[in-house]
Amino acid sequence: MISGKKAQYIVEEMTKIINRPINFMNDHGVIIASTDQYRIGTVHEGASVVLKTRKELVISAGDRLEGTKEGINLPVFFENRVIGVIGITGTDQEVIKMGEIIRKMTEILAKEEIIDRQSELVNQSREVFIREWIEGQWNDDKDLSARGWTLNINVHLPRVAVTFMFYSAAESRENQQVVQLQQNQNQLYNQLREAIKFNDQDIIVPIGLMQFIVLLTWPENRTDKKKEFISHKIQYLLRQLADSSGYAVKVGIGGFYESFKGIPNSYQESKKAGSHARGANDSKFVFFDDLELELLLDGIAEELRDKYLKKILDVQANPQLEEMLETLRQFFVSNQSINKTADQLFIHKNTLQYRLNKIKEMTGYDPRVFEEGVLLYLALYFISAK
């Protein structure tokens, strides 16, 4: 039940206290950790005796037990089971005196290891369950509910799926080491888990590289203000992510469903809303219920989008594309206000007018004219959605 790595850590820590050779044998009597690396993997007959009798065993110089040396061997207990044996070389009074202390300390360290492993297994089971739930991969409703109860998840509470997406503005993911990305992801995952721990029915699971899904509950007696309630929850979570390893975050909130059967839909909707949160708006999170035009545009095939972009902006042949896109984005976010757009871009109004005239000259469409501005807005939307 104890890993070799943890057992070796225990041996090394105990050696610092007693400064004697120490072995750790598993529940089969095999040495899995030792101050003498050559003994690892060998059978310790003294440990086999201890495992059977559940009592300490002192081996003297005259005893003939294979794989043993003169010393004391003590059973290590967990929940009244012998899970291993700690062996200390030497039979002098100092070893005998320290033996019980070493055994107790070993049991404490071993217990921590076992509890951590059990907790990890539970977390893994919860993640598998949540993934199956959000992807609609279950056949029997009662079975899903029962599995949830065994994992302390009440599937019958009203929930909404929320997708958190982290990305770096300063450095593309392709330029980062996979190990570094994984470390950052683990850090963000732990931060989110810590932030939602006050409600054990708010649950989280990773769904991809730097992406997480959180299933948030809301009080059943506040269905009329559930959107406001969830907004406050998300704002709280975002505040806890102030130090997010240099990553920006965008959040998509799916539809609200009171039945657990609606969670797969809410999950898909949260991903769609999250993709729009990465667009030109200033908000860090977007509700799927607030999407209108975007839902229609998302149904247009990519081939038609590309044809439209070539017709309106001629992206491939446009040498000033980046400046044009930046100007258009801010112009539309500012509701086509010349003053506000110029302020946001830190340019003079005349410079902005020059840019807008240039856009009209290059594309044939004037963003200041509503009908023509709509065409440019759609083109900008298709580029942002790529």
Side-chain angles (χ1 to χ4, degrees):
M1 295 181 67
I2 300 295
S3 67
K5 183 177 180 180
K6 184 67 175 182
Q8 188 63 40
Y9 169 76
I10 292 173
V11 165
E12 292 170 359
E13 291 301 305
M14 296 303 102
T15 303
K16 292 176 185 177
I17 297 172
I18 199 170
N19 195 27
R20 294 294 182 91
I22 295 178
N23 299 316
F24 191 103
M25 286 71 77
N26 65 12
D27 53 356
H28 296 291
V30 177
I31 299 176
I32 60 173
S34 175
T35 50
D36 182 357
Q37 297 296 304
Y38 291 102
R39 299 190 69 184
I40 294 177
T42 62
V43 176
H44 192 288
E45 283 196 7
S48 299
V49 173
V50 173
L51 290 166
K52 290 178 182 179
T53 63
R54 296 167 59 90
K55 297 179 180 179
E56 69 177 55
L57 173 68
V58 177
I59 300 175
S60 302
D63 294 330
R64 293 189 176 183
L65 291 172
E66 187 176 344
T68 67
K69 291 183 179 181
E70 186 178 0
I72 183 171
N73 298 277
L74 303 144
V76 177
F77 290 93
F78 176 74
E79 295 182 347
N80 203 34
R81 288 179 296 149
V82 180
I83 60 172
V85 178
I86 189 85
I88 309 169
T89 299
T91 56
D92 54 81
Q93 285 302 311
E94 182 184 0
V95 171
I96 300 297
K97 183 178 180 181
M98 291 294 294
E100 185 62 20
I101 296 174
I102 296 297
R103 183 178 71 82
K104 286 292 186 183
M105 294 181 68
T106 299
E107 286 178 346
I108 292 172
L109 293 173
K111 183 178 180 180
E112 290 177 354
E113 161 78 354
I114 293 170
I115 291 175
D116 287 345
R117 288 175 64 185
Q118 290 176 341
S119 177
E120 184 60 31
L121 287 174
V122 171
N123 287 335
Q124 289 176 3
S125 298
R126 284 170 64 92
E127 287 188 11
V128 170
F129 174 79
I130 296 165
R131 287 196 180 96
E132 291 179 357
W133 185 14
I134 64 177
E135 293 171 3
Q137 295 179 355
W138 80 87
N139 297 318
D140 186 272
D141 293 348
K142 291 183 178 178
D143 178 65
L144 182 78
S145 179
R147 286 178 61 201
W149 279 112
T150 62
L151 296 168
N152 192 34
I153 298 174
N154 181 0
V155 300
H156 299 288
L157 295 177
R159 283 184 174 86
V160 61
V162 182
T163 297
F164 283 76
M165 301 187 301
F166 296 87
Y167 62 98
S168 173
E171 181 180 14
S172 66
R173 289 181 186 169
E174 290 76 8
N175 293 331
Q176 296 184 38
Q177 296 293 324
V178 174
V179 174
Q180 183 62 49
L181 278 173
Q182 188 62 54
Q183 290 175 345
N184 290 344
Q185 175 156 315
N186 291 340
Q187 178 183 340
L188 292 167
Y189 183 39
N190 290 333
Q191 285 180 319
L192 282 171
R193 282 205 304 183
E194 183 69 17
I196 67 171
K197 72 177 183 179
F198 300 105
N199 184 341
D200 62 1
Q201 291 301 313
D202 287 342
I203 47 186
I204 178 176
V205 65
I207 56 171
L209 188 61
M210 307 304 290
Q211 295 186 24
F212 308 92
I213 189 76
V214 182
L215 300 182
L216 294 178
T217 59
W218 73 86
E220 295 182 77
N221 61 348
R222 297 190 56 179
T223 55
D224 58 326
K225 294 185 177 181
K226 55 181 177 288
K227 191 172 181 179
E228 178 184 351
F229 183 84
I230 293 299
S231 292
H232 287 312
K233 268 194 173 185
I234 293 173
Q235 288 166 354
Y236 170 77
L237 293 177
L238 291 173
R239 287 196 298 271
Q240 307 313 304
L241 294 170
D243 177 21
S244 55
S245 304
Y247 283 82
V249 57
K250 292 293 185 179
V251 182
I253 303 100
F256 291 82
Y257 296 89
E258 296 187 10
S259 169
F260 64 88
K261 295 180 181 180
I263 289 299
N265 289 335
S266 185
Y267 168 54
Q268 294 299 328
E269 291 163 357
S270 73
K271 291 197 296 183
K272 188 179 290 293
S275 68
H276 293 293
R278 294 266 323 249
N281 58 71
D282 294 328
S283 177
K284 284 188 175 181
F285 58 90
V286 170
F287 284 87
F288 178 80
D289 291 347
D290 292 339
L291 299 179
E292 297 171 346
L293 178 62
E294 294 87 352
L295 295 179
L296 295 175
L297 298 179
D298 285 348
I300 299 175
E302 187 173 352
E303 182 181 355
L304 291 176
R305 294 186 182 202
D306 291 340
K307 287 182 178 179
Y308 184 85
L309 285 173
K310 182 171 179 60
K311 180 178 186 299
I312 302 299
L313 293 182
D314 196 8
V315 173
Q316 301 295 333
N318 194 328
Q320 297 178 307
L321 182 65
E322 288 305 316
E323 181 181 283
M324 176 190 295
L325 295 179
E326 179 190 25
T327 303
L328 286 174
R329 283 193 187 100
Q330 192 56 58
F331 188 60
F332 292 130
V333 167
S334 303
N335 291 321
Q336 296 176 292
S337 165
I338 297 294
N339 290 335
K340 186 176 179 181
T341 304
D343 289 342
Q344 292 297 317
L345 292 175
F346 302 103
I347 59 176
H348 193 274
K349 289 186 291 183
N350 292 341
T351 303
L352 175 60
Q353 292 286 10
Y354 171 80
R355 287 190 185 184
L356 296 176
N357 289 333
K358 194 70 176 177
I359 291 172
K360 178 182 178 182
E361 178 185 325
M362 295 176 67
T363 66
Y365 302 100
D366 189 341
R368 292 160 294 196
V369 177
F370 176 78
E371 292 82 357
E372 297 177 20
V374 168
L375 300 177
L376 291 169
Y377 176 84
L378 293 178
L380 184 65
Y381 176 84
F382 289 146
I383 289 177
S384 300
K386 279 185 173 293

